Amino acid sequence: MGPDLNDIVEQLTLDTNAAIGIPLALLGAVALSFGTQFQHRGVVKVEAMRGSSDSGMSLGSIGALVTRPSWVLGTVLLAVAIALQLTSLWFAPLIVVQPLGAVALVITALLNARLSGTKLDGATIRAILLCVGGVGAFVAVAALYATSHPVTETQLTIVLVALGGVLAIWGVLFAIYRKRASPMFYILAAGSIYGFVATLAKVIMGRIQTLLASEFEFGAAEWLTIGCLVGLIIAAIIGMYFVQSAHANGPPDLVVAGLTVVDPIVAVAIGIIVLGEAQGAPLWAIIAFILTGAVAVFGVFQLAKHHPHMQEDAVAEKVDEIEERLQR
């Protein structure tokens, strides 16, 4: 006797919470794209006035950023993007919503093309299709089988120790290579650190949901949760510094690529390996995760390679016009 139809339908029905989290994550990707574009222009202007540096932004340059309306607007949009992402993580598993950030790179390509008055070529369009198709398929499979579980003390400890190791590694590398660090260095550093920021946010929310569903008792797990909150703040500040340094040394498309490729890879890896969000998925779903994720990553790198960021002067003029209007 074949499987019950109701069981099949129940298995393939999108979870209500995931149905809320996915559109929130997509809106966050839109805000991320526009925010990155405006932030980049503000950083470029400040570096041009104060003199660019290959060793990361100075404290003086960081302080001067608040005087640039374009940077302030970009920061506000990024804050909105973070708020939307955190809200989406409350409703859906990490491995469902985090990959949707890759949509921001697609929007960046379209936005740059629009602002610069250029048409997307065949290579760029193919890259967009690969990115959208890969991410869409990955999220579709993840939405069916990914599940959130109560976060244990062991998982909290593993995440905190891993974050400490990552911050230590990047700190040592920064001290050694600061004078000759490439834009890719800052992008990889920011992306990997922000992957932990997303994970820590999900972990903290998981603990809050667990506490709300049970009688509150302050114990070791809660102290670890506070440690996660402190780690999140520290990681967010360090990650932001690396993002601004990436803006100062490279085009915005590379910054978005780092935040939408490295960040999700790190976050999804932790979600699967540490948080066990895919432990109920069958073998074919695991294979689908790998294949669709590879397609999306390939598409993102192809998009970063081919989209019209070479028209940056034209894009900068459009952003400058908006900044002038903000100053009036």
Side-chain angles (χ1 to χ4, degrees):
M1 189 174 180
D4 186 80
L5 181 59
N6 291 331
D7 292 340
I8 297 176
V9 172
E10 183 179 352
Q11 184 181 33
L12 296 180
T13 299
L14 184 66
D15 181 78
T16 303
N17 286 337
I20 297 174
I22 289 173
L24 289 175
L26 289 173
L27 289 174
V30 175
L32 171 64
S33 178
F34 280 83
T36 300
Q37 192 72 251
F38 283 104
Q39 259 204 351
H40 175 77
R41 187 55 187 160
V43 171
V44 168
K45 277 198 166 186
V46 167
E47 288 295 284
M49 291 187 298
R50 299 180 63 89
S52 60
S53 172
D54 295 328
S55 58
M57 293 196 73
S58 65
L59 292 178
S61 294
I62 293 175
L65 289 175
V66 297
T67 65
R68 305 309 314 177
S70 58
W71 186 87
V72 173
L73 176 59
T75 302
V76 170
L77 288 171
L78 289 178
V80 171
I82 292 171
L84 288 168
Q85 182 190 43
L86 292 180
T87 306
S88 71
L89 287 173
W90 178 270
F91 288 101
L94 185 71
I95 66 173
V96 173
V97 298
Q98 198 66 13
L100 289 171
V103 175
L105 188 54
V106 177
I107 298 171
T108 299
L110 298 174
L111 179 62
N112 279 357
R114 176 69 175 175
L115 293 177
S116 62
T118 60
K119 291 184 178 181
L120 298 177
D121 56 21
T124 301
I125 293 175
R126 287 192 295 272
I128 289 176
L129 292 175
L130 286 171
C131 183
V132 174
V135 169
F138 184 98
V139 173
V141 177
L144 296 177
Y145 294 105
T147 56
S148 295
H149 304 282
V151 181
T152 66
E153 294 181 23
T154 299
Q155 291 170 330
L156 288 172
T157 304
I158 292 174
V159 172
L160 279 175
V161 171
L163 172 63
V166 168
L167 291 178
I169 290 171
W170 283 116
V172 171
L173 291 175
F174 181 67
I176 296 174
Y177 296 106
R178 180 176 181 177
K179 297 297 183 181
R180 54 186 185 277
S182 66
M184 190 57 66
F185 173 87
Y186 294 113
I187 290 163
L188 291 175
S192 59
I193 291 172
Y194 273 128
F196 274 90
V197 170
T199 304
L200 287 169
K202 180 62 178 178
V203 165
I204 293 171
M205 289 179 184
R207 288 301 305 168
I208 293 175
Q209 290 172 332
T210 300
L211 290 174
L212 292 176
S214 60
E215 295 183 4
F216 177 77
E217 292 184 7
F218 198 92
E222 281 57 59
W223 283 113
L224 286 171
T225 303
I226 293 174
C228 285
L229 179 60
V230 173
L232 185 153
I233 295 172
I234 294 173
I237 293 173
I238 295 175
M240 181 177 292
Y241 173 79
F242 281 130
V243 167
Q244 304 311 312
S245 295
H247 278 306
N249 292 277
D253 65 300
L254 289 180
V255 178
V256 175
L259 294 179
T260 58
V261 178
V262 182
D263 176 339
I265 287 175
V266 173
V268 168
I270 297 173
I272 292 176
I273 298 171
V274 180
L275 303 184
E277 291 189 341
Q279 64 183 13
L283 179 61
W284 75 264
I286 301 298
I287 296 174
F289 286 150
I290 296 173
L291 293 179
T292 56
V295 169
V297 169
F298 178 74
V300 167
F301 277 108
Q302 287 297 302
L303 187 53
K305 177 180 179 181
H306 294 293
H307 86 66
H309 65 268
M310 295 304 293
Q311 304 293 330
E312 190 172 352
D313 289 341
V315 175
E317 291 178 3
K318 295 291 184 180
V319 176
D320 287 346
E321 290 177 9
I322 296 174
E323 183 174 26
E324 290 175 3
R325 294 173 185 173
L326 292 173
Q327 289 177 312
R328 291 173 185 172

